[in-house]
Amino acid sequence: MNNENTSDNQAAAGAAGAVGGGGGAGTPDPKDDGPRHGNSAASSARAFLYRLSTDSGEYLKTGISKNPLTRYTRNFMEDKVMDIIHSGTRREILNLERFIVERDPGPLNFERWAGKFLDDVP
């Protein structure tokens, strides 16, 4: 993990006690006159890559959130832990998430490409 992400990771470190659903407005794109939705790969908003596990350590999924603290409800997170792996641009985090989930999907990774390269674990 590089040091430039440290403060973002610390800000998101409380994600294990997350509370209910995120959302939000778009972010202006300097190449475009209109706003970008926060879930757009072109969004300039910081995104976080996380690993979700049970309290006992069972891997559940790798995912992305622009606000890990509000990604899941408090009730859902009662017996789970969210570890922030990395943060960066939405495009960077989307690429990293896909690489991981194609090779090491959790049982809650339902993407159509999850597990596509199971035999290609570096």
Side-chain angles (χ1 to χ4, degrees), residues 23-46 66 89-91 94:
T27 305
D29 183 286
K31 297 177 231 156
D32 192 334
D33 292 322
R36 293 279 183 202
H37 186 277
N39 286 340
S40 166
S43 172
S44 61
R46 176 141 324 268
K66 66 180 179 179
T89 66
R90 181 96 182 153
R91 186 173 309 279
L94 281 168

Side-chain angles (χ1 to χ4, degrees), residues 109-122:
N109 279 116
F110 299 118
E111 298 86 350
R112 69 181 182 280
W113 35 266
K116 185 175 180 179
F117 296 110
L118 284 175
D119 295 328
D120 186 31
V121 177

Side-chain angles (χ1 to χ4, degrees), residues 19-27 36-39 45-46 64-72 90:
V19 293
T27 305
R36 293 279 183 202
H37 186 277
N39 286 340
R46 176 141 324 268
I64 297 174
S65 181
K66 66 180 179 179
N67 188 347
L69 295 174
T70 61
R71 175 63 182 95
Y72 296 106
R90 181 96 182 153

